[in-house]
Amino acid sequence: MSPFEHGEVFVLDDGGEVDLDLGNYERFIDVTLTRDNNITTGKIYQSVIEKERKGDYLGKTVQVVPHVTDEIKQWIQSVSSVPVDGQTRPADVCVIELGGTVGDIESMPFIEALRQLSFSLGKENFCLIHVSLVPVLGVVGEQKTKPTQHSVRELRALGLTPDLLACRSAQPLIGSVKEKLSQFCHVPVENILNIHDVPNIWHVPLILRNQKAHEAIIKQLNLSGLAGPPELRDWTEMAESYDNLKNSVKIALVGKYTNLTDSYLSVVKALLHASVACSLKPSIQWIAASDLEDATAINAPEAHTKAWETLKGSACILIPGGFGDRGISGMILAAKYARENKVPYLGICLGMQISVIEMSRHVLGLEDADSEEFNKDAPNRVVMYMPEVSKTHMGNTMRLGCRRTFFRKSDCLTSKLYGSPPHVDERHRHRYEVNPSFVPVLENAGLHFFGCDESGKRMEIVELQDHPFYVGVQFHPEFKSRPRRPSPPFSGLIMAATKHLGTNSNNSNGYFGASE
C-alpha cells in the first residue's frame, strides 16, 4: 500500500496490516485488536470464492445478495463473539465502523448487510450513528445543514435510519441548526451530537459525555441496567493538562513520505505521548530526506538550506521506517550529523539500518556499504534480505506482528528504559535486517547490538557508545504507545533531547528521572 495514497499501514500483534483507524481505536480504548477486526472487500470476496470452490453453495449462482452480504454479517457476528484482551466473555457492545461516504459503490454490499443485520437483531440491539459534516459557507458564517439532510435521505433510501447524528463542525452548532436537523433528518434533538473542533483530540470523549451521548446510546441499546457513569477523571486531567503546557521540544522527523503526515501517524502519536509525559508539547519539524542530499543543493538550493537549518535547529532527530531507495542518502547524512554532533537520535526499522550503513561507510571506511534493498550487487551488504518465507515472492515474506526481542546485556540504555526485563515484545514490519557477519566489526567500532531474536541472528536493538542517546530498533515501538503509557524508546529520545535522561531507573515503567 502506498503511504501517499493510504497513509500509515498499522500493524497488529498477530501481524495484520490494517487501516490507520484501527490504531486510533487501540490507542483510545486501550485494547489489542486482531486482523479479523479489519473487514475488507477483498477478504469478503476471497472467503466467498473459497466457499464456492469447496462446494458450500451446492452449485448455486453466487451473488452479492445473499452470499456476499451473508459473509459480511457472519464475519461481524463472529468477531463480536470473541472475548477481548483476556476477558472471559464477549464484550457488551461491538462497534462497527463503515468507512467511506453514503452512496459509494464500494460500500453498497456493506450497507445492505448492515440493513439486514439491524432487522434480524432488532432495534433494541442496533444503534446507528451517522457522521456528517456541517460546513460554514459565505461571509455570514451560516452553518449549512443541506449536506447532512441529503446524506441522511440517501441512507434512509437504502433502508437505514440513523438513531443519532454526529455532526462535525468548526464551531459548536447553534440551537436552531440542531432543531432543523432534527426536523428534516427524523432524529430527536437530544440525539444530535456535535463534535466541533477542540484544542486536542483527547477532548472529544469529554464533549460527547457533556452532550450525554452515552445516555442516548445506552437508552437505544437498552443497557441502562448494565452501564454506569463514564470514568473519565484521568482522561479529563490528561486533556486539560496538555492545554496548559507552555514549553515544547523540537523534533526533526526525517522521512520519505512527509508530504502526507498521516503516513507517520503512530510515530506522531508516540512522540505526543512521550512529550506530554515530560510536560512538553511536541514540535515536529518535518524534513523530506531528499532535501538534505547534495543533489538538492544544486537543483533546489533554498530547500536544501532550509532542511539543514531545520535539522540543526532541532533538539533530537528521528528517522522512521520506510521502503525503497529514495531519500536514503539524506537519511544517512542526518544520522551522521546526529552521531558526530552528539544529537539524540532514534532510528526505527529503516532508521536503524541507516545508522548501520552510516557507521560502516564513515567509521569502518567501507564506502560501498549498502543495503541489499537498495543495491543487490553491493560488495559490502551490511543490511541483507532475510525473508520469513519465500525469496522469490513479495507477498507474505515480511517479518510481521509481535515478536520477542531478548536483551544481550541487561544494563544497556534501552533495557533500562523498558524497566530492565529479560525481553520485550514489540511489533515488526520489514524484510531486510542487519547482516550478522558484520556485527563483530561494527561492535568493535562502538556500535553495540544489545537486542536480538531467539536465534541470535536477527539484530533488534543497537546503541552507540559515548553518545547521550543514539538508539536504533528494528521493531516499531510506536504501534504500542498509549496516552498514559508512552513507548520507552520515544520517552528516552524526548528525555535525552531535554537533558533529563538519568543514569539509573528505579521506576517499574522504566522512565528515568531527571539527572542532577
Side-chain angles (χ1 to χ4, degrees), residues 69-84:
T69 52
D70 282 352
E71 186 67 27
I72 294 169
K73 290 188 294 180
Q74 289 168 14
W75 197 307
I76 291 172
Q77 291 175 311
S78 174
V79 170
S80 67
S81 65
V82 177
V84 179

Side-chain angles (χ1 to χ4, degrees), residues 6-28:
H6 189 271
E8 175 186 75
V9 178
F10 191 81
V11 178
L12 303 172
D13 266 5
D14 64 1
E17 295 174 282
V18 299
D19 187 88
L20 56 82
D21 287 345
L22 269 79
N24 288 327
Y25 284 122
E26 281 206 342
R27 282 186 287 268
F28 257 81

Side-chain angles (χ1 to χ4, degrees), residues 147-221:
T148 303
Q149 291 182 44
H150 281 290
S151 64
V152 170
R153 186 177 303 150
E154 182 78 12
L155 195 61
R156 293 179 69 185
L158 295 169
L160 287 170
T161 300
D163 300 300
L164 288 85
L165 286 181
C167 299
R168 284 285 291 112
S169 62
Q171 300 295 329
L173 294 183
I174 59 178
S176 60
V177 171
K178 281 193 173 185
E179 291 174 1
K180 190 175 182 179
L181 284 169
S182 175
Q183 181 179 3
F184 285 97
C185 297
H186 199 64
V187 176
V189 172
E190 60 270 20
N191 283 11
I192 297 177
L193 311 173
N194 179 211
I195 301 94
H196 54 80
D197 290 354
V198 286
N200 68 73
I201 198 172
W202 296 331
H203 280 282
V204 172
L206 306 181
I207 63 174
L208 288 172
R209 177 202 57 190
N210 294 342
Q211 296 175 66
K212 299 183 179 180
H214 56 291
E215 293 182 4
I217 295 170
I218 288 168
K219 181 180 179 181
Q220 174 64 32
L221 295 176

